[in-house]
Amino acid sequence: MARGILDTNTLILLGRLQETDPLPDEPVITAITLAELSVGPLIASADEERVARQAHLQQAEADFDPLPFDASAARSFGQVAAELRRAGRKPAARAYDAMIAAIAVANDLPLHTCNPSDFKGIQGLAIVAVPHPDH
């Protein structure tokens, strides 16, 4: 796969993945992933964990120029949220995932994730399942 979006969980697990074939040749992340990563150090309960999470955030910021949640993604988000609602899933509970999916749809890029069930039923979203290292 040439270019694809790494979901937040996939980015976090990147160093532990045993199977890398499902990863894109040119990985990108979204601004939403940076937002999720920025929460980590602020809610860590131990100093060691806070330092590790801060280092992970800084590495992601250094390695990637994230795709924005722009007007096109906002329009795609409406469709994604409506589809999740119709499927009986609450888009508010999965807001970060829905926004990442919207950016993927708006940019016509596949989403590489270790949690494909989080994105099930979203029309126009190409999901590439990445084997979770703990399963």
Side-chain angles (χ1 to χ4, degrees), residues 51-69:
V51 168
R53 288 180 177 191
Q54 184 65 35
H56 203 87
L57 168 62
Q58 290 173 324
Q59 189 66 56
E61 289 174 329
D63 290 348
F64 295 97
D65 183 20
L67 295 173
F69 187 82

Side-chain angles (χ1 to χ4, degrees), residues 7 14 25 29 36 38 50 52 54 60 69 85 111 117:
D7 183 26
L14 207 52
D25 294 331
I29 64 169
E36 284 187 280
S38 73
R50 183 176 298 106
Q54 184 65 35
F69 187 82
R85 191 167 296 176
L111 180 64
S117 63

Side-chain angles (χ1 to χ4, degrees), residues 16 20-22 40 66 79-80 84 94-95 97 101-102 112 114 118 131 133:
R16 296 181 44 220
T20 58
D21 287 345
Q79 182 66 36
V80 167
L84 290 174
R94 309 283 336 160
D97 290 342
H112 300 255
C114 292
D118 289 350

Side-chain angles (χ1 to χ4, degrees), residues 15-54:
R16 296 181 44 220
L17 294 177
Q18 296 169 5
E19 189 175 331
T20 58
D21 287 345
L23 297 176
D25 294 331
E26 185 185 340
V28 295
I29 64 169
T30 69
I32 307 309
T33 289
L34 282 184
E36 284 187 280
L37 291 176
S38 73
V39 174
L42 301 173
I43 62 169
S45 56
D47 287 340
E48 185 177 307
E49 183 181 3
R50 183 176 298 106
V51 168
R53 288 180 177 191
Q54 184 65 35

